[in-house]
Amino acid sequence: MQSLTKRRLSAAGLDALLREATGVGCRLEEELTDGWFNTAYRVRLDDGRAAVVKLAPPAEAPVLRYERGIMSTEALVYRRLAGLADGTVPTPELLYRGDDFLAVSVLAGTPWDRAAEHLAPATDAALRRELGAITARLHTLTAEDGRYGYPAPEAELSAADWRTAFTAMVDALLADAVRWNTDLGVPAAGIRTLVAAGGRALDQVTEPKLVHFDLWPGNIFVDDRADAPRITGLIDHERAFWGDPAAELVSLGFGGEIGPDSDLVAGYRAAGGRLDFSPGLRRRLALYGLYLGLILVVECGPRGYDGDRADWARRYLGDRVAELRALG
């Protein structure tokens, strides 16, 4: 199924875009079809470098509130990551940036979801510990303006405290659900009640840290050679926000265990990250799972998803609501 947000260019159009904006043209090698929001092409630049060019959706494309301006968010994350010590958070290098595109270097390795079936359990465990350490270093970055929420001003989803920002983020998705006539499978009023009940737990977050919030295995590249398996980089930073670093565990959970005794948490703690798994943190994790569930369901409208994918998203959201209700 074609995403309704995709913007596509011919080889000549892509070359012209880059040449006009940067003075460097390119030769199209292939379209990368894994993503469902931006369009991505692998190209060879005139100077011989391999690159990935990401195109933002056209201005008239239907997007969710939090997605407004997210390409600028990705550029911001690349800028902040470049300020860290070399290699502490491996990621592509930002080569060029335009108003509606980014060009980044090509990572070595393979997305983890493709490499997973070839990894021995011991190798997978070691990589999960390394991923935990990388995530802890990612979470050393804090918002320069001290605000929580999404950094792109177009989204208008930031606030001076985390409870206010997170509540606004949820409300924006509920408003998007109305706009797209989306069946959430659960009452919106009930969702707002659950978020309000978690206010005290949200208030425990006192510093806005960078949260990628999309670290499922497809966005993590690994070099799975038997002699030295390692993580080569994290990609697709556009959905990042400033908030509670514990929220990262929600997407990391799609790749393996995230509990207090997991390899991932061991690596996170060894690198200086703090996770106490207190009742407050567990409630916040349930809230962040609820938020991700809302994204997965509501984006079915502008993306044009239906069938099994939409059904799975509603089940995921329903399970997160049940989890929060069980916490009382």
Side-chain angles (χ1 to χ4, degrees):
M1 178 183 298
Q2 293 289 328
S3 170
L4 302 181
T5 65
K6 287 282 191 174
R7 169 193 175 202
R8 288 184 167 81
L9 290 177
S10 66
L14 195 60
D15 175 72
L17 173 72
L18 276 184
R19 196 173 298 278
E20 179 179 354
T22 70
V24 177
C26 68
R27 183 180 75 253
L28 174 61
E29 293 187 340
E30 63 174 321
E31 180 178 352
L32 306 175
T33 58
D34 289 342
W36 286 85
F37 185 76
N38 298 311
T39 309
Y41 297 99
R42 181 175 174 126
V43 304
R44 184 70 56 175
L45 301 177
D46 286 348
D47 58 14
R49 289 176 295 171
V52 172
V53 178
K54 297 180 69 172
L55 304 179
E60 68 276 10
V63 298
L64 304 182
R65 168 86 170 272
Y66 87 93
E67 293 172 327
R68 298 174 188 173
I70 64 173
M71 182 156 280
S72 65
T73 296
E74 182 157 20
L76 167 68
V77 174
Y78 279 120
R79 176 178 66 81
R80 295 297 307 275
L81 291 177
L84 292 174
D86 289 347
T88 56
V89 179
T91 193
E93 176 188 359
L94 179 61
L95 303 176
Y96 301 107
R97 175 193 173 188
D99 291 338
D100 55 359
F101 79 91
L102 299 176
V104 301
S105 63
V106 174
L107 287 174
T110 308
W112 198 331
D113 60 330
R114 298 181 188 173
E117 63 184 67
H118 307 297
L119 298 176
T123 300
D124 188 78
L127 288 171
R128 291 288 286 178
R129 288 191 294 273
E130 183 185 6
L131 177 59
I134 290 170
T135 304
R137 294 192 290 268
L138 176 75
H139 292 163
T140 63
L141 293 174
T142 58
E144 293 172 322
D145 62 1
R147 292 182 67 80
Y148 297 80
Y150 288 101
E154 297 93 326
E156 298 181 302
L157 288 173
S158 69
D161 66 89
W162 180 227
R163 186 207 290 223
T164 303
F166 182 74
T167 302
M169 290 157 61
V170 171
D171 283 342
L173 282 171
L174 294 176
D176 284 327
V178 173
R179 175 188 176 194
W180 289 98
N181 195 28
T182 302
D183 176 15
L184 298 176
V186 292
I191 290 174
R192 289 192 173 94
T193 297
L194 291 170
V195 173
R200 291 181 61 185
L202 294 169
D203 285 341
Q204 293 172 354
V205 180
T206 58
E207 190 174 19
K209 300 286 190 176
L210 182 66
V211 181
H212 185 289
F213 207 61
D214 200 14
L215 288 179
W216 73 287
N219 284 340
I220 303 164
F221 273 59
V222 300
D223 181 346
D224 57 346
R225 293 177 300 177
D227 55 339
R230 62 190 179 92
I231 293 172
T232 57
L234 313 180
I235 66 169
D236 288 358
H237 307 285
E238 67 263 27
R239 302 184 190 280
F241 57 74
W242 301 108
D244 182 359
E248 208 77 88
L249 293 177
V250 175
S251 61
L252 287 167
F254 287 109
E257 292 296 323
I258 55 170
D261 299 321
S262 65
D263 290 305
L264 182 126
V265 170
Y268 189 86
R269 288 170 168 162
R274 298 179 61 185
L275 286 170
D276 59 9
F277 287 91
S278 64
L281 182 139
R282 293 182 184 278
R283 181 172 293 277
R284 297 198 311 274
L285 283 179
L287 286 169
Y288 306 146
L290 170 73
Y291 181 66
L292 179 59
L294 281 172
I295 290 176
L296 294 172
V297 173
V298 178
E299 71 180 8
C300 291
R303 300 292 190 283
Y305 302 157
D306 55 18
D308 291 345
R309 186 183 181 103
D311 291 343
W312 174 84
R314 278 190 291 271
R315 287 195 300 272
Y316 181 90
L317 175 59
D319 288 346
R320 305 290 77 76
V321 168
E323 180 182 3
L324 264 173
R325 288 173 174 164
L327 291 174

